[in-house]
Amino acid sequence: MANENKITLNFYTITSNFNDILIKLCNKIIHLDESFYINFDKSDYKNEADKFLWTREKNNFLPHKVYGEEISSIDKIILFDGCYNKLNRLERFKSLIVSPGVKIKKFDVFKKFLIFSYSKNNLFNTNIRNQLDRNYFKINWYDEYSSFKWKQL
């Protein structure tokens, strides 16, 4: 399969709080020509992130929507909880950010996945890498060695 047709899987092992990383990611997303869904495993975590994105930075907020709200053509970030296969997905949203704790059964529907896990949970290991078929996926592994500093493995 040609590289441009492969699904990109970016695995991130993190030590920083995910919401702090999310702020930095969302600041970049609003300047990109991409739109992202952000997947949480529980509605409480989604609601916490929603509030965090609206109130974290003084005199500023990160524009986003929660799944179920009316989405306009300028919206680039949608938060949701549960299984992404149950979304009524908008075609322009080709990327998915997966928060720690979310379990993904199958990598499909989206062209790019950014998958986060806390390093203390030790979820990303060689078993995952060996199970994924490199013919269908472009796979990258990143480790946060210091706050917001990454090394590719």
Side-chain angles (χ1 to χ4, degrees), residues 10-23 25 38-46 48-49 80-82 96-104 114-124 144 150:
N10 295 315
F11 291 93
Y12 296 88
T13 302
I14 62 175
T15 55
S16 298
N17 181 290
F18 178 70
N19 281 345
D20 292 330
I21 292 170
L22 191 58
I23 285 274
L25 272 174
I38 303 174
N39 193 179
F40 295 89
D41 66 334
K42 297 179 180 165
S43 64
D44 290 349
Y45 296 146
K46 175 195 68 187
E48 177 185 318
F80 75 97
D81 62 276
L96 178 67
I97 296 171
V98 180
S99 70
V102 173
K103 293 180 179 24
I104 301 291
L114 286 74
I115 306 132
F116 290 86
S117 177
Y118 287 111
S119 60
K120 65 183 178 194
N121 295 340
N122 199 26
L123 294 179
F124 300 156
E144 185 182 23
W150 309 91

Side-chain angles (χ1 to χ4, degrees), residues 87-99:
L87 287 177
N88 186 9
R89 189 176 69 84
L90 299 172
E91 187 58 36
R92 66 187 168 91
F93 285 79
K94 298 187 183 310
S95 300
L96 178 67
I97 296 171
V98 180
S99 70

